[in-house]
Amino acid sequence: MKVLVVLVAVVTDLDRKWPDDNIFSWNMAVQSWIDVLKSSKKTVLIHDGRRKTHYLFKDGKEMAEEYDLKTDELIVRKWRVKSTLGAQGQWQVEVGEPNAGPATSPDSEVIRENCSNPVFLRKDTKTSFQWRIRNLPYPKDVFCVTVEPSERCIVIRTANKKYFKKFSIADLDRCQLPLDCSALSFTHANNTLIISYKKPKEILAFEQELLKELKTLKGTSDGDGDCKTQLEFSLVVSYDTLQYTFSSCMFS
């Protein structure tokens, strides 16, 4: 009986160490994303009440972000990748209103998307990732929204089998952070399904420090031309038992 007690104690102690190992791995993934950001070429433009930042990464990918100058909320984030032949691709929206299709006249023979089809978009708040699916005229109890940690995605199902969607959280994937079922919530109003996922503390700390440093970048206004800015900064991300300081140089 004494031997059994000792073995149980050892296993329990090992179990306690796993979360710390995971935290270390997640922190390294966050640092890796920071390294990608800091090594990119950046251009800042202040326009129409927004702070617009363009990132050009070493692999040729581009990212553009727009923040509201008054609220500091992220309004737009989109990506562009060159084709295998080097041609510029189309901007793919990650956050914000989806790209509008080409304008067509009512008499045009061009096939147009039905305006009553569901429209999926992401619109974050300061504390949550948030998605909205418009044109879903069903009561809330028809919807089932779940987190699938093993597949690293959120799944939307309906009891009437009229709508199904599976999507990932790009921010968590870039930082290799786990998904938490308890962070998910949803509501329904005005034919719109609103899904919220509470941002983990690692993301909140990173976004806060990054935004603070972006504000110190000297941006151009309309007509001022290109902006080349160099900035020394330090990102400090604190966790329960660990603290990492990342010192780097952001330049364009």
Side-chain angles (χ1 to χ4, degrees):
M1 180 62 69
K2 291 183 179 179
V3 174
L4 178 60
V5 172
V6 171
L7 287 175
V8 171
V10 171
V11 173
T12 304
D13 184 62
L14 287 174
D15 288 341
R16 291 196 191 103
K17 292 180 181 179
W18 275 108
D20 290 340
D21 292 340
N22 289 337
I23 288 175
F24 182 80
S25 175
W26 301 332
N27 289 342
M28 292 302 96
V30 174
Q31 181 183 6
S32 177
W33 175 232
I34 291 173
D35 291 340
V36 172
L37 287 176
K38 73 185 182 186
S39 63
S40 67
K41 294 181 179 179
K42 289 163 285 294
T43 303
V44 179
L45 174 67
I46 307 300
H47 170 68
D48 196 24
R50 300 184 181 186
R51 177 179 291 101
K52 304 180 179 183
T53 306
H54 177 269
Y55 300 80
L56 177 61
F57 300 102
K58 291 182 178 180
D59 60 3
K61 293 180 180 178
E62 298 174 77
M63 181 177 75
E65 291 184 329
E66 299 181 16
Y67 288 88
D68 187 286
L69 288 175
K70 294 182 178 179
T71 65
D72 291 334
E73 288 189 355
L74 177 65
I75 302 173
V76 174
R77 180 187 291 139
K78 54 187 179 180
W79 293 81
R80 184 164 65 177
V81 181
K82 290 185 178 180
S83 70
T84 54
L85 298 179
Q88 287 286 9
Q90 297 293 321
W91 284 103
Q92 301 298 320
V93 177
E94 179 180 314
V95 179
E97 293 286 340
N99 292 325
T104 57
S105 65
D107 299 330
S108 173
E109 295 182 358
V110 176
I111 298 177
R112 296 186 298 272
E113 183 178 6
N114 191 327
C115 61
S116 64
N117 286 344
V119 178
F120 178 88
L121 62 96
R122 176 174 155 186
K123 185 178 181 181
D124 291 353
T125 67
K126 287 287 192 64
T127 58
S128 297
F129 304 119
Q130 193 172 94
W131 300 265
R132 296 168 183 254
I133 304 94
R134 299 169 182 157
N135 299 330
L136 290 179
Y138 316 121
K140 182 181 178 181
D141 57 10
V142 168
F143 296 95
C144 175
V145 185
T146 59
V147 170
E148 302 293 341
S150 60
E151 298 184 36
R152 296 193 57 81
C153 66
I154 296 174
V155 180
I156 306 171
R157 299 178 177 88
T158 57
N160 58 14
K161 298 183 179 180
K162 296 291 186 180
Y163 186 79
F164 175 87
K165 190 170 185 65
K166 181 186 295 186
F167 60 95
S168 61
I169 306 178
D171 304 69
L172 300 189
D173 287 344
R174 282 190 287 265
C175 296
Q176 298 179 28
L177 294 170
L179 275 68
D180 180 8
C181 297
S182 65
L184 182 70
S185 62
F186 72 95
T187 187
H188 185 271
N190 300 320
N191 292 339
T192 301
L193 181 66
I194 303 173
I195 301 171
S196 299
Y197 185 97
K198 187 178 179 181
K199 294 178 181 178
K201 59 185 178 182
E202 295 90 342
I203 294 294
L204 290 173
F206 167 68
E207 289 182 343
Q208 183 179 4
E209 292 300 321
L210 180 61
L211 184 58
K212 184 188 301 182
E213 301 305 330
L214 286 177
K215 288 182 177 181
T216 67
L217 287 170
K218 183 181 179 181
T220 61
S221 299
D222 293 338
D224 288 348
D226 293 335
C227 171
K228 296 183 179 295
T229 308
Q230 180 167 315
L231 171 69
E232 294 287 342
F233 75 100
S234 174
L235 287 179
V236 180
V237 184
S238 300
Y239 302 94
D240 292 340
T241 57
L242 301 173
Q243 184 179 73
Y244 292 91
T245 302
F246 309 103
S247 295
S248 55
C249 176
M250 293 178 68
F251 59 90
S252 64

